[in-house]
Amino acid sequence: MTIAPTAGDRPPWRLLLDYVRPHRRALFAGAVLSLVTGATGLLLPLVARKLIDDLGHDRAITGALLALTALVVANSVVGALGSYVLRRTAESVVLGARRALSSYLLRLRIPAVDRSEPGDLMARITSDTTLLREVTTDSLVGLGTGGLTLAATVVMMGLVDPVLLGVTLAVILCAGTVLGVIVPRINRASRRAQDAVGVMGASLERVLGALRTVKASGAEDREEATLHAAAEESWRQSVRAAKWSAAAGNTAGLAMQTAFITVLAVGGARVATGAIEIGTLVAFLLYVFYLMAPIQQVVGAVTQYQTGSAALSRIQEALRLPAEPVSRPAALPAPAAEPASLAFSDVRFRYADDLPPVHHGVTFAVPARGMTAFVGPSGAGKTTVFSLIERFYDPESGTIAVDGRALADWDLSQLRASIGYVEQDAPVLSGSLRDNLLLGNAEADEDTVRGVLKTTRLDDLVAGLPQGLDTLVGHRGTKLSGGERQRVAIARALLRRPRLLLLDEATSQLDAVNEAALRDTVAEVARTTTVLVVAHRLSTVTMADRIVVMDAGRVRAVGTHRELVAGDPLYAELAATQFLATPG
């Protein structure tokens, strides 16, 4: 199921129909069963009137009793079946919405993710989509079946006694006026309640994502207060929505009780004057009782729609966030694929319009094959170079080309299939070690995996794990050390057989022995592919074929270690400290 984002705001009912459309046949079947249930219910007062008349005229009542029993049984069976079909369809609508939204969020552009709170996006997939279950059955179907049943009931009441029908409608009209005032308040309160749930999710995600830091800082009480404030705001808004929903429901209930009392009084007077028979009054009172269900169904549909429309609007807001184009996964490079070349030409970039520029006309060229190191002080724009190569962001101006072809002309999945990227913090996903290694190449065979494990010195780690590669690594890899996480990230990148390998501070958490081994591995890889390294240690830089020195968003020098020590004062100063870069 695909729900396309739209340029403008669409009414919630149109959005709801988009989600329901794939399930329209099942929804129609459930609605028909509900109508049949309503129809059998409408016949009950007529059969009851006949039963009373038969008793009053001393006639046999066997036929009426059998008909009454058959209607009651049919009403229960058909009602249960209709309820199941509708509930199953509603769950299918929720499933479709979650699939569509989760697929879309996975393809969000990184700037859109930077501007969003992950916890709020999670709430839209979980909490907001759940509300579609009720709005599908209670609102969409409830309004249709309840409305038709209500209309049919009114017609039957008119056939029984038009005078009593007029009395009933007058009471209902007064209640409808009150509901017209209440319903908009339900909508506003429901939207604020859902927004508050999103804020609470964002606050919780923020704390859990840095729980060690919070504990180490002794900030539990302050963060607890923030979480409690978000939870209390959600509670306040939900209670407000519940208050108005209860008012709407009780208004409908009060109207029906008033109608019943009024009909009983007026009907009793008409029976006393001989205008109608007692059986007619009993039948009409049964219809008044029966009228409660469709009226409450319609009122419930309207109130539920207000809650659901708030959720639909939040889902649609997420679907309007900028996303990357959908494309089929591209095949990974063949083992003997030629390495890629790279060129930046006068590239200018900033992360947001209200932030200062990061790159001020960056220009450099990297030939196919070999190792290029990027060095410079914090904030020089080194990591941003890698983000632009991966097209996580697009430059404001200038050109970035891989193999002489501008990045904008590449199919995004084909471009990324050619690149192996080890991020600065080397993230590891929850799951098994095998899942993490095969994240970028699910088709890698056991021999290839074992070879990469040996190359990255992970083979001893795997041998010592209780379940080997199938051992769970914990949330964000908490069961692994920082150096182990870095080696896992490097192994994951190598398994992709990249034509262009990007290593961002890839050895910062390794001990000297493992760093030396990995440095030799990178040197070996650089013989057959193009390797770009953001480096912070002199030992890594001296083995590079070329070094790009960056400072304040510009390339100030390019050359070998020997050339730069002699010709660039900043590089010479950094080299003298043995640490050529700080993260940035």
Side-chain angles (χ1 to χ4, degrees):
M1 173 183 169
T2 300
I3 305 296
T6 55
D9 289 332
R10 301 171 65 199
W13 65 269
R14 291 287 300 275
L15 300 176
L16 179 59
L17 289 179
D18 286 340
Y19 287 103
V20 167
R21 190 171 292 113
H23 313 283
R24 56 186 179 275
R25 292 184 179 177
L27 201 63
F28 179 75
V32 169
L33 289 171
S34 295
L35 288 174
V36 171
T37 304
T40 57
L42 285 175
L43 293 175
L44 285 172
L46 297 180
V47 176
R49 181 172 69 173
K50 184 177 186 307
L51 179 64
I52 292 172
D53 288 343
D54 288 343
L55 285 171
H57 294 83
D58 206 22
R59 294 193 294 262
I61 60 171
T62 305
L65 282 174
L66 288 174
L68 201 63
T69 302
L71 285 174
V72 169
V73 172
N75 187 271
S76 299
V77 172
V78 176
L81 181 60
S83 177
Y84 167 74
V85 171
L86 289 176
R87 288 292 170 183
R88 188 178 188 278
T89 305
E91 292 295 344
S92 299
V93 170
V94 172
L95 173 62
R98 285 176 175 166
R99 281 177 170 173
L101 187 54
S102 59
S103 296
Y104 191 83
L105 293 182
L106 282 173
R107 289 168 174 79
L108 286 181
R109 291 187 59 80
I110 296 298
V113 177
D114 292 342
R115 295 192 299 268
S116 304
E117 292 283 358
D120 182 54
L121 294 178
M122 289 168 57
R124 294 175 196 245
I125 293 181
T126 54
S127 174
D128 290 339
T129 54
T130 299
L131 290 175
L132 292 180
R133 179 189 301 121
E134 282 72 26
V135 80
T136 299
T137 52
D138 297 347
S139 182
L140 188 63
V141 176
L143 190 61
T145 58
L148 288 174
T149 304
L150 179 61
T153 305
V154 169
V155 170
M156 297 299 291
M157 293 171 77
L159 293 175
V160 172
D161 190 78
V163 175
L164 294 179
L165 173 61
V167 172
T168 305
L169 291 179
V171 175
I172 293 174
L173 183 62
C174 293
T177 303
V178 176
L179 288 174
V181 176
I182 293 175
V183 165
R185 288 171 168 78
I186 297 174
N187 181 281
R188 289 194 293 271
S190 297
R191 175 58 195 255
R192 290 169 184 159
Q194 288 305 110
D195 287 342
V197 169
V199 171
M200 185 174 64
S203 300
L204 186 60
E205 192 274 338
R206 168 180 169 271
V207 172
L208 294 180
L211 192 56
R212 287 176 175 80
T213 302
V214 171
K215 288 181 177 294
S217 303
E220 292 97 333
D221 290 343
R222 292 194 299 276
E223 294 301 328
E224 180 184 57
T226 301
L227 282 172
H228 286 186
E232 287 166 7
E233 177 62 17
S234 174
W235 174 83
R236 276 193 297 271
Q237 299 300 340
S238 297
V239 167
R240 185 171 297 165
K243 175 184 69 176
W244 290 115
S245 296
N250 287 333
T251 298
L254 179 62
M256 295 316 303
Q257 292 172 11
T258 304
F260 177 78
I261 294 172
T262 306
V263 166
L264 185 60
V266 175
R270 287 173 62 75
V271 169
T273 59
I276 57 173
E277 294 185 358
I278 185 66
T280 299
L281 177 59
V282 170
F284 197 91
L285 288 173
L286 287 175
Y287 275 124
V288 172
F289 272 119
Y290 191 77
L291 196 64
M292 289 183 184
I295 284 181
Q296 289 179 337
Q297 195 173 15
V298 170
V299 172
V302 173
T303 56
Q304 192 63 54
Y305 175 76
Q306 302 306 315
T307 302
S309 65
L312 282 164
S313 297
R314 282 173 47 82
I315 292 172
Q316 199 65 12
E317 283 175 3
L319 290 172
R320 283 199 294 268
L321 293 172
E324 295 171 345
V326 178
S327 59
R328 291 188 176 185
L332 295 176
E338 286 295 313
S341 63
L342 173 72
F344 272 54
S345 178
D346 195 28
V347 171
R348 300 174 186 276
F349 172 75
R350 72 178 75 210
Y351 282 102
D353 293 338
D354 57 347
L355 294 177
V358 178
H359 284 171
H360 305 267
V362 171
T363 300
F364 64 86
V366 176
R369 198 174 282 104
M371 176 176 164
T372 300
F374 291 80
V375 300
S378 178
K382 306 180 298 295
T383 295
T384 302
V385 168
F386 287 6
S387 295
L388 291 174
I389 293 171
E390 283 275 11
R391 281 202 70 190
F392 296 149
Y393 305 92
D394 290 323
E396 290 183 351
S397 63
T399 303
I400 305 172
V402 171
D403 291 338
R405 181 180 170 193
L407 292 191
D409 297 333
W410 280 79
D411 176 79
L412 197 55
S413 61
Q414 184 183 16
L415 172 70
R416 290 176 181 165
S418 302
I419 301 173
Y421 183 29
V422 180
E423 298 174 61
Q424 202 172 88
D425 55 353
V428 173
L429 280 66
S430 177
S432 70
L433 184 57
R434 186 189 303 276
D435 292 337
N436 275 277
L437 291 171
L438 300 182
L439 185 66
N441 182 8
E443 306 301 323
D445 56 46
E446 288 295 322
D447 290 340
T448 303
V449 172
R450 279 196 294 269
V452 169
L453 289 175
K454 186 175 181 180
T455 297
T456 54
R457 292 203 166 195
L458 283 169
D459 48 348
D460 289 341
L461 169 68
V462 174
L465 292 174
Q467 294 177 292
L469 285 175
D470 295 316
T471 302
L472 299 179
V473 298
H475 178 60
R476 297 186 179 180
T478 51
K479 295 182 181 179
L480 302 176
S481 68
E484 288 167 348
R485 287 197 295 271
Q486 281 196 319
R487 281 181 281 158
V488 168
I490 294 168
R492 183 168 59 207
L494 293 178
L495 280 172
R496 289 173 63 81
R497 305 186 300 266
R499 299 175 58 230
L500 178 62
L501 179 61
L502 310 178
L503 303 175
D504 190 357
E505 307 279 2
T507 61
S508 60
Q509 298 188 58
L510 299 183
D511 56 56
V513 174
N514 281 312
E515 184 199 359
L518 192 60
R519 192 167 60 242
D520 294 340
T521 298
V522 172
E524 182 65 29
V525 171
R527 293 192 181 99
T528 57
T529 191
T530 306
V531 179
L532 273 60
V533 180
V534 171
H536 75 295
R537 290 179 181 172
L538 184 63
S539 55
T540 303
V541 172
T542 54
M543 61 185 286
D545 297 294
R546 70 199 57 79
I547 302 166
V548 178
V549 183
M550 297 188 68
D551 184 27
R554 291 183 173 86
V555 173
R556 57 177 289 147
V558 179
T560 64
H561 172 69
R562 185 180 300 245
E563 292 168 347
L564 292 171
V565 166
D568 186 74
L570 174 62
Y571 182 84
E573 180 184 348
L574 291 170
T577 68
Q578 298 292 308
F579 288 87
L580 298 178
T582 53

PDB file of all heavy atoms in Angstrom, residues 210-220:
ATOM      1  N   ALA A 210      20.903   8.502  25.806  1.00  0.00           N
ATOM      2  CA  ALA A 210      22.118   8.973  26.495  1.00  0.00           C
ATOM      3  C   ALA A 210      22.000   8.693  27.989  1.00  0.00           C
ATOM      4  O   ALA A 210      22.368   9.518  28.822  1.00  0.00           O
ATOM      5  CB  ALA A 210      22.313  10.463  26.236  1.00  0.00           C
ATOM      6  N   LEU A 211      21.497   7.504  28.331  1.00  0.00           N
ATOM      7  CA  LEU A 211      21.209   7.211  29.734  1.00  0.00           C
ATOM      8  C   LEU A 211      22.482   7.169  30.575  1.00  0.00           C
ATOM      9  O   LEU A 211      22.478   7.606  31.736  1.00  0.00           O
ATOM     10  CB  LEU A 211      20.461   5.880  29.840  1.00  0.00           C
ATOM     11  CG  LEU A 211      19.845   5.558  31.205  1.00  0.00           C
ATOM     12  CD1 LEU A 211      18.909   6.674  31.654  1.00  0.00           C
ATOM     13  CD2 LEU A 211      19.107   4.232  31.161  1.00  0.00           C
ATOM     14  N   ARG A 212      23.577   6.668  30.014  1.00  0.00           N
ATOM     15  CA  ARG A 212      24.832   6.645  30.764  1.00  0.00           C
ATOM     16  C   ARG A 212      25.281   8.066  31.099  1.00  0.00           C
ATOM     17  O   ARG A 212      25.740   8.346  32.207  1.00  0.00           O
ATOM     18  CB  ARG A 212      25.907   5.924  29.951  1.00  0.00           C
ATOM     19  CG  ARG A 212      25.723   4.411  29.889  1.00  0.00           C
ATOM     20  CD  ARG A 212      26.774   3.772  28.986  1.00  0.00           C
ATOM     21  NE  ARG A 212      26.693   2.320  29.008  1.00  0.00           N
ATOM     22  CZ  ARG A 212      25.833   1.603  28.331  1.00  0.00           C
ATOM     23  NH1 ARG A 212      24.960   2.223  27.549  1.00  0.00           N
ATOM     24  NH2 ARG A 212      25.818   0.277  28.397  1.00  0.00           N
ATOM     25  N   THR A 213      25.165   8.951  30.119  1.00  0.00           N
ATOM     26  CA  THR A 213      25.556  10.343  30.349  1.00  0.00           C
ATOM     27  C   THR A 213      24.677  10.983  31.411  1.00  0.00           C
ATOM     28  O   THR A 213      25.165  11.735  32.279  1.00  0.00           O
ATOM     29  CB  THR A 213      25.464  11.140  29.039  1.00  0.00           C
ATOM     30  OG1 THR A 213      26.301  10.525  28.061  1.00  0.00           O
ATOM     31  CG2 THR A 213      25.899  12.578  29.236  1.00  0.00           C
ATOM     32  N   VAL A 214      23.381  10.693  31.347  1.00  0.00           N
ATOM     33  CA  VAL A 214      22.455  11.251  32.344  1.00  0.00           C
ATOM     34  C   VAL A 214      22.831  10.774  33.747  1.00  0.00           C
ATOM     35  O   VAL A 214      22.891  11.561  34.701  1.00  0.00           O
ATOM     36  CB  VAL A 214      21.007  10.854  31.994  1.00  0.00           C
ATOM     37  CG1 VAL A 214      20.059  11.228  33.138  1.00  0.00           C
ATOM     38  CG2 VAL A 214      20.559  11.531  30.708  1.00  0.00           C
ATOM     39  N   LYS A 215      23.092   9.460  33.870  1.00  0.00           N
ATOM     40  CA  LYS A 215      23.451   8.926  35.186  1.00  0.00           C
ATOM     41  C   LYS A 215      24.782   9.489  35.673  1.00  0.00           C
ATOM     42  O   LYS A 215      24.932   9.863  36.836  1.00  0.00           O
ATOM     43  CB  LYS A 215      23.501   7.399  35.118  1.00  0.00           C
ATOM     44  CG  LYS A 215      22.138   6.737  34.998  1.00  0.00           C
ATOM     45  CD  LYS A 215      22.273   5.233  34.957  1.00  0.00           C
ATOM     46  CE  LYS A 215      20.900   4.572  34.915  1.00  0.00           C
ATOM     47  NZ  LYS A 215      20.131   4.791  36.152  1.00  0.00           N
ATOM     48  N   ALA A 216      25.771   9.526  34.764  1.00  0.00           N
ATOM     49  CA  ALA A 216      27.081  10.030  35.142  1.00  0.00           C
ATOM     50  C   ALA A 216      27.034  11.497  35.550  1.00  0.00           C
ATOM     51  O   ALA A 216      27.845  11.962  36.348  1.00  0.00           O
ATOM     52  CB  ALA A 216      28.075   9.846  33.994  1.00  0.00           C
ATOM     53  N   SER A 217      26.075  12.239  35.001  1.00  0.00           N
ATOM     54  CA  SER A 217      25.941  13.662  35.314  1.00  0.00           C
ATOM     55  C   SER A 217      25.051  13.911  36.516  1.00  0.00           C
ATOM     56  O   SER A 217      24.846  15.068  36.911  1.00  0.00           O
ATOM     57  CB  SER A 217      25.375  14.409  34.098  1.00  0.00           C
ATOM     58  OG  SER A 217      26.188  14.215  32.958  1.00  0.00           O
ATOM     59  N   GLY A 218      24.508  12.831  37.085  1.00  0.00           N
ATOM     60  CA  GLY A 218      23.605  12.995  38.220  1.00  0.00           C
ATOM     61  C   GLY A 218      22.364  13.783  37.867  1.00  0.00           C
ATOM     62  O   GLY A 218      21.811  14.515  38.691  1.00  0.00           O
ATOM     63  N   ALA A 219      21.901  13.627  36.614  1.00  0.00           N
ATOM     64  CA  ALA A 219      20.792  14.455  36.121  1.00  0.00           C
ATOM     65  C   ALA A 219      19.475  13.699  36.080  1.00  0.00           C
ATOM     66  O   ALA A 219      18.541  14.129  35.407  1.00  0.00           O
ATOM     67  CB  ALA A 219      21.137  14.979  34.715  1.00  0.00           C
ATOM     68  N   GLU A 220      19.384  12.570  36.805  1.00  0.00           N
ATOM     69  CA  GLU A 220      18.142  11.792  36.752  1.00  0.00           C
ATOM     70  C   GLU A 220      16.921  12.612  37.177  1.00  0.00           C
ATOM     71  O   GLU A 220      15.870  12.548  36.544  1.00  0.00           O
ATOM     72  CB  GLU A 220      18.242  10.541  37.642  1.00  0.00           C
ATOM     73  CG  GLU A 220      19.215   9.499  37.161  1.00  0.00           C
ATOM     74  CD  GLU A 220      20.555   9.607  37.831  1.00  0.00           C
ATOM     75  OE1 GLU A 220      20.925  10.750  38.258  1.00  0.00           O
ATOM     76  OE2 GLU A 220      21.237   8.587  37.949  1.00  0.00           O
TER      77      GLU A 220
END
